[in-house]
Amino acid sequence: MGKNVFIYTFGCQMNVHDSEKMLGVLSQGGYQNVTSPEEADLIIFNTCAIRAKAEQKFFSQLGRMKPLKRRNPNLQIAVGGCVAQETQKKIFSRAPYVDIVFGPQNINSLNQLLDQGRKLAVADNPGLAESEFDIVRDSSFRAWVAIMYGCNNYCSYCIVPYTRGREVSRPSDHIVEEIRDLHKLGYKEVTLLGQNVNSYRSDTDFPGLLEKIDATGIARVRFMTSHPRDMSRELVAALAGLPSVCEHIHLPMQSGSDRILSLMNRGYGFADYRDKIAMLRAEIPGIAVTGDIIVGFPGETDEDYQATLSAIQEIEYDGLFAFMYSKRQGTKASSLDSQVPESVKSERLNNLLKIQEQITENKNRCLENAELEILVEGPAENDPARLMGRSRANKIVSFADNGERAGEIIRIRVTRAHMHTLEGINLAINSHIV
Ligand code: SF4
């Protein structure tokens, strides 16, 4: 009889995709995915170490597994992902009922690890990074495709290079074959994943890879995450010239202060960043720009913070992911003096978010009456009579449910803009309104 697996996934899209890979590998070992931990023979925690909060959330969730294990001694509990790689000993001492701890690059050995049994900690084996996986995908029309693993950048606040190792790019023909297969299966959109996709390099570079992917015929290509330093003129030209590449760039700025950017070891100043955004906007009309900001990096003064506020007002992001700096043991920034008090960080964050909300709303208002191509995803949140989808610029648009199917590409006219979403009408159905 088959066995059941339940996966808790924390953190970024890379982790969401790693969970899809885990399910693919485990399905070969006779496991099927279930929707509650109570039904499971195996519970996996796919953890994230980027922020202290995500790690705390994981440990508190892990604590809740103790009674399940007591009720079912055959239940196996495994911990994977970035926290696993960093803190194997801590996991076993805080939760002795955990059976296996494995790193992000050991996913394809999961069945063997489970067979080997209890109290097993496996460090990463970089040799496995290029292995190809069977994947159980969450969606039948949008897919994540990992193009590279690891990161060579060592931003001073970031734990990723220590947990996921140095950059390894997948060969371009493997990636293209995967996307060609997805296209044949009816997938409409792929999102290429890597910690810094711009530095992809195998037999070709990232612009070359995009060109090959465009030729597969897949309708939409997205990618994340980009590093501003590696956003080259050639890449901007490729983004502008390839019809499948969506008009959206996520380009983390992190701070508007050159002093802080240098302490962060980001390799660019605000002026470079601003110039790259200007180049993107000049070459790709209508491109949406989103970014990341960290407030309260060690030593961030009021002046530095003000520089960030003016920067976000100048850039006018379509959307912004802003976070308070979170101290991660083992990173360079964790040993810097002058850590900013939590209360100051939180005040700075709230203030920044308020300013950005106004900018987001203004940007959305500019889209009223615009015609957009939408990939239909499914029911709209909070309104069963409506469906929702995403534009090529990644704007969420809701519209009346006229039987459109998830995975269908339609054209919409925007009738109303809100802070985080747009409302529209399907032009094929409401042609008299055009
Ligand atoms: S680019 Fe910097 S922030 Fe991004 S994963 Fe690499 S080290 Fe971390």
Side-chain angles (χ1 to χ4, degrees):
M1 209 175 78
K3 291 172 281 183
N4 293 339
V5 56
F6 178 83
I7 305 184
Y8 286 102
T9 305
F10 299 83
C12 65
Q13 291 315 331
M14 195 61 114
N15 264 17
V16 172
H17 186 48
D18 279 353
S19 291
E20 291 183 331
K21 289 179 191 166
M22 289 178 200
L23 287 174
V25 169
L26 289 168
S27 70
Q28 294 186 336
Y31 283 89
Q32 60 187 20
N33 189 18
V34 289
T35 51
S36 81
E38 285 77 16
E39 301 167 68
D41 304 292
L42 165 66
I43 296 173
I44 298 181
F45 287 83
N46 188 7
T47 60
C48 169
I50 293 260
R51 274 173 276 282
K53 245 193 192 152
E55 195 174 319
Q56 284 155 12
K57 213 164 126 194
F58 149 64
F59 273 111
S60 97
Q61 197 74 46
L62 185 61
R64 295 196 198 116
M65 297 301 110
K66 209 172 164 183
L68 288 183
K69 185 86 176 184
R70 224 181 283 131
R71 276 208 299 273
N72 173 11
N74 293 324
L75 171 68
Q76 282 190 298
I77 297 179
V79 180
C82 292
V83 175
Q85 182 61 23
E86 269 304 281
T87 56
Q88 297 171 2
K89 281 200 188 115
K90 190 165 147 197
I91 291 169
F92 282 133
S93 73
R94 280 185 67 167
Y97 44 89
V98 167
D99 298 290
I100 290 161
V101 176
F102 62 99
Q105 290 162 21
N106 295 113
I107 294 172
N108 59 352
S109 334
L110 252 180
N111 289 314
Q112 293 91 301
L113 300 180
L114 290 163
D115 285 347
Q116 283 166 34
R118 313 202 165 253
K119 299 290 163 262
L120 192 66
V122 189
D124 262 359
N125 175 356
L128 295 175
E130 281 187 274
S131 302
E132 301 298 315
F133 295 90
D134 282 315
I135 299 166
V136 173
R137 296 188 190 272
D138 205 33
S139 160
S140 58
F141 54 91
R142 287 195 309 170
W144 310 107
V145 175
I147 63 165
M148 61 196 295
Y149 307 96
C151 184
N152 289 349
N153 277 322
Y154 293 96
C155 299
S156 64
Y157 52 84
C158 182
I159 195 84
V160 166
Y162 308 95
T163 59
R164 290 195 177 254
R166 312 271 303 165
E167 276 176 13
V168 183
S169 295
R170 285 177 69 199
S172 68
D173 51 345
H174 292 201
I175 298 168
V176 169
E177 199 184 312
E178 185 176 336
I179 294 174
R180 208 174 276 132
D181 288 346
L182 288 166
H183 179 44
K184 275 193 212 136
L185 288 167
Y187 279 80
K188 301 288 169 42
E189 183 179 296
V190 290
T191 303
L192 313 178
L193 294 177
Q195 307 300 337
N196 176 15
V197 289
N198 304 162
S199 68
Y200 172 88
R201 189 159 293 276
S202 59
D203 49 314
T204 183
D205 56 7
F206 191 51
L209 178 69
L210 288 173
E211 215 169 289
K212 288 185 176 190
I213 293 172
D214 185 71
T216 64
I218 193 95
R220 288 178 165 199
V221 179
R222 301 185 186 281
F223 53 88
M224 64 197 293
T225 291
S226 295
H227 193 297
R229 195 199 43 221
D230 300 317
M231 178 55 64
S232 63
R233 210 162 265 288
E234 294 69 39
L235 178 54
V236 176
L239 303 185
L242 298 170
S244 63
V245 178
C246 288
E247 294 76 26
H248 170 222
I249 185 87
H250 182 73
L251 200 61
M253 177 170 73
Q254 308 301 16
S255 170
S257 153
D258 287 348
R259 198 180 69 82
I260 296 295
L261 285 170
S262 152
L263 284 172
M264 286 176 166
N265 193 29
R266 290 289 288 172
Y268 56 86
F270 174 64
D272 309 321
Y273 182 89
R274 183 187 47 205
D275 291 351
K276 297 211 169 166
I277 298 290
M279 177 164 69
L280 283 158
R281 285 180 168 150
E283 297 295 323
I284 309 163
I287 190 171
V289 179
T290 54
D292 294 338
I293 295 287
I294 296 172
V295 294
F297 185 82
E300 185 188 73
T301 60
D302 274 341
E303 212 179 351
D304 295 316
Y305 173 65
Q306 288 305 329
T308 300
L309 292 186
S310 346
I312 67 164
Q313 281 159 320
E314 187 175 341
I315 300 289
E316 294 191 311
Y317 288 100
D318 289 80
L320 196 59
F321 299 87
F323 306 94
M324 294 195 281
Y325 167 74
S326 175
K327 192 172 173 178
R328 306 314 290 136
Q329 285 310 330
T331 61
K332 217 167 162 196
S334 67
S335 58
L336 288 176
D337 289 338
S338 57
Q339 299 282 329
V340 177
E342 290 300 305
S343 58
V344 175
K345 284 195 240 177
S346 137
E347 200 187 314
R348 286 181 182 170
L349 178 66
N350 291 338
N351 182 37
L352 181 142
L353 289 175
K354 243 183 250 152
I355 293 171
Q356 179 57 41
E357 274 180 1
Q358 195 55 59
I359 298 171
T360 306
E361 193 171 352
N362 292 347
K363 298 284 279 190
N364 281 353
R365 288 232 183 282
C366 296
L367 290 170
E368 281 182 345
N369 287 317
E371 272 187 42
L372 303 176
E373 177 203 285
I374 303 295
L375 174 60
V376 180
E377 290 185 15
E381 231 174 78
N382 308 327
D383 190 349
R386 294 176 77 77
L387 296 173
M388 61 74 65
R390 265 166 224 267
S391 71
R392 289 176 58 90
N394 214 27
K395 303 274 180 184
I396 296 173
V397 187
S398 79
F399 50 94
D401 183 351
N402 286 296
E404 294 87 345
R405 281 163 292 112
E408 205 180 322
I409 291 182
I410 59 170
R411 288 201 72 79
I412 283 280
R413 185 154 68 78
V414 178
T415 49
R416 204 164 154 206
H418 301 278
M419 173 102 69
H420 299 295
T421 57
L422 304 170
E423 283 177 28
I425 50 168
N426 184 344
L427 285 174
I429 290 165
N430 299 280
S431 49
H432 56 286
I433 306 179
V434 183

